[in-house]
Amino acid sequence: LRESWESVYLSDSPYGQWREVTPQDFRVKAIATSASTSTLWAVSAAGQPFVCVTPCNPSGWIAVTAPKTAKGTVALEYIDADLKWVWGVTADGQVFEHLASVLRFEEPWIQIPANNDKSSFAVKAWDSVPPGGFKLVCPSASLLDADEITRFTVEESSAGCNRYVDDLACYAKVDDRCKWNAEIEVCEKALPTQASRLPDVDVLFDDHSCILAEEVGVDGTVAMQPGYSRTKVKEGAELVINRDLECVDHGVRQRIPDIRPPCWDNNHTINALNSCLTPEGVELPYCVQLAFTSTTYIVKCGGNLLNDPNCGSFLEVHLPGNPDIITEVRIPPDTTFTSGYRTTIMPLNYKTANRTVCLGGYEIWWVQRARGRKIVESVKPFSISEPMCDWDPDAEEYKPFFTIQNG
């Protein structure tokens, strides 16, 4: 590891500008971010912890009281932060925890068992500290994601469902409302039933594909457990047993219906070949109707710049994280402040009139353009379900568009 960092830069947006937040009064040895509390935490070359609230600046760093033991104040070697806690580690392996919120920075650090601590010293570390204490894993260094993986973290205990990295561990925490999202393979915390807009769960009592299967426990015992189904991969193939968390008992399947409220976000089902209606009721080909709102004024340009493509507020279609514009629409200049939703249409042509976007994921960027710079105010993911992209037989790969056939 480096003894200190020369400079520190921060970007609050994946598409924004970097700015320098290098502390004026000390050299940084280690740094960490806590997205949920909007704080940066750092350790100086002398081992002193500091905190800075975003938007941070070089003079905004606040000294935090260092951890103390019976022998006195100790110097930190490393630091990391997650959704709620800051973890400080000394050179000899002592570990301390502290709330990440800047409103609590004056509170004392709490010492917890370190990797080399075999004593019965009992302290609070999430729910409890499991055997083996802490392990080193790869940290996130971004305020843009939730910084959910920390450098020093409890191996098995957690403050949230996202700590459980497989379906079995997630399923075991149903009392904490943890639910495995098989589509993106993430353990998520389910909403309380009274707060959910989803329909009530359907229970099927005659699903013969749901079976009990043998599971071997950590102690070597074998038990028949639910959560499995016996299905065919394709017609004519043999039956195989698969993990299926909808199967809650032998022959019993519990499933959330596909019915959704009319206002549900269905941005993953867009067909680029469909037509749409303008706010005036005119039907146009290859587009999608969308609604937008804003809690502040919407920038517009006037005079000679009224229709300038480099001035105003625009909605742009991009590939995820790619600044190259596929298609765009200007937010109407007469839209200044919205007290509700306004509607417009987004063309789905791929750069030319005879091509459209095709199957895959995309993003709509809300962009302000002014004086040679562009500011991305918001990003909304969506997916195209049809049509399939053109196939390039020479390159043996799909092209990023679908060609519209005349007639």
Side-chain angles (χ1 to χ4, degrees):
L1 295 175
R2 300 179 53 158
E3 291 188 3
S4 64
W5 295 24
E6 295 293 335
S7 301
V8 182
Y9 290 83
L10 171 70
S11 176
D12 291 320
S13 164
Y15 314 105
Q17 300 295 317
W18 289 87
R19 66 176 183 276
E20 186 172 8
V21 295
T22 308
Q24 292 179 343
D25 302 322
F26 65 95
R27 293 176 67 85
V28 175
K29 179 188 296 183
I31 195 165
T33 61
S34 176
S36 60
T37 61
S38 299
T39 55
L40 280 74
W41 286 78
V43 172
S44 69
Q48 171 72 38
F50 289 80
V51 64
C52 190
V53 182
T54 58
C56 183
N57 60 69
S59 61
W61 291 89
I62 303 171
V64 178
T65 302
K68 294 181 180 179
T69 65
K71 298 180 180 180
T73 301
V74 298
L76 296 180
E77 187 73 14
Y78 312 111
I79 198 167
D80 197 30
D82 54 27
L83 302 180
K84 183 178 180 181
W85 299 97
V86 177
W87 307 88
V89 184
T90 64
D92 61 355
Q94 296 180 82
V95 183
F96 299 82
E97 73 168 8
H98 194 288
L99 287 168
S101 172
V102 70
L103 299 177
R104 313 290 288 273
F105 77 93
E106 293 182 345
E107 295 187 7
W109 294 76
I110 301 173
Q111 187 176 12
I112 56 181
N115 213 25
N116 56 0
D117 190 345
K118 303 302 182 182
S119 69
S120 59
F121 186 68
V123 294
K124 171 177 154 293
W126 296 124
D127 299 324
S128 62
V129 177
F134 295 83
K135 68 176 181 179
L136 184 64
V137 295
C138 294
S140 167
S142 172
L143 277 172
L144 306 177
D145 56 30
D147 197 13
E148 294 167 352
I149 302 178
T150 60
R151 178 180 288 275
F152 291 91
T153 186
V154 177
E155 288 187 25
E156 297 173 23
S157 302
S158 79
C161 301
N162 53 5
R163 302 288 172 177
Y164 305 108
V165 296
D166 62 68
D167 56 348
L168 291 175
C170 183
Y171 185 71
K173 296 293 180 178
V174 292
D175 291 341
D176 296 332
R177 301 203 315 272
C178 293
K179 183 177 181 181
W180 183 254
N181 187 329
E183 184 176 348
I184 58 176
E185 296 186 342
V186 169
C187 188
E188 300 176 326
K189 197 173 189 70
L191 283 172
T193 304
Q194 64 271 21
S196 175
R197 292 191 297 158
L198 290 170
D200 293 338
V201 173
D202 282 343
V203 181
L204 308 177
F205 292 97
D206 56 352
D207 191 321
H208 301 294
S209 65
C210 289
I211 62 170
L212 302 180
E214 291 183 349
E215 284 188 6
V216 181
V218 292
D219 58 354
T221 59
V222 178
M224 302 299 290
Q225 298 291 344
Y228 296 90
S229 64
R230 187 165 49 195
T231 56
K232 294 182 179 180
V233 177
K234 60 181 180 180
E235 190 64 30
E238 294 183 357
L239 289 170
V240 294
I241 297 176
N242 296 305
R243 195 80 172 102
D244 190 341
L245 296 182
E246 289 186 350
C247 293
V248 295
D249 204 342
H250 182 76
V252 181
R253 180 179 295 275
Q254 185 172 285
R255 170 181 292 168
I256 296 177
D258 294 331
I259 301 172
R260 297 292 182 269
C263 58
W264 197 267
D265 191 343
N266 288 305
N267 293 338
H268 59 287
T269 58
I270 298 173
N271 186 337
L273 299 182
N274 286 347
S275 59
C276 68
L277 296 177
T278 69
E280 296 75 29
V282 179
E283 184 175 2
L284 296 177
Y286 315 120
C287 59
V288 63
Q289 189 175 24
L290 54 86
F292 63 91
T293 188
S294 175
T295 57
T296 184
Y297 287 100
I298 298 174
V299 174
K300 67 176 182 178
C301 301
N304 296 332
L305 299 177
L306 179 62
N307 297 312
D308 192 301
N310 297 311
C311 188
S313 297
F314 290 78
L315 299 176
E316 304 171 352
V317 173
H318 296 255
L319 289 172
N322 190 331
D324 189 24
I325 301 173
I326 296 175
T327 183
E328 66 183 29
V329 64
R330 180 193 293 268
I331 294 178
D334 59 348
T335 305
T336 53
F337 187 84
T338 57
S339 58
Y341 280 92
R342 299 291 187 271
T343 60
T344 187
I345 64 169
M346 173 64 73
L348 296 178
N349 300 93
Y350 186 89
K351 300 184 179 181
T352 63
N354 67 332
R355 294 173 177 172
T356 70
V357 293
C358 57
L359 180 70
Y362 299 85
E363 293 174 341
I364 293 181
W365 296 7
W366 182 308
V367 181
Q368 288 186 12
R369 303 178 186 175
R371 295 185 178 180
R373 62 180 302 205
K374 298 180 179 181
I375 303 173
V376 179
E377 297 289 345
S378 181
V379 175
K380 178 69 174 179
F382 72 99
S383 297
I384 298 293
S385 59
E386 293 184 44
M388 179 64 72
C389 302
D390 288 352
W391 174 255
D392 186 341
D394 296 327
E396 294 187 346
E397 62 182 14
Y398 286 101
K399 297 180 179 179
F401 54 81
F402 169 80
T403 303
I404 302 170
Q405 303 296 329
N406 294 328

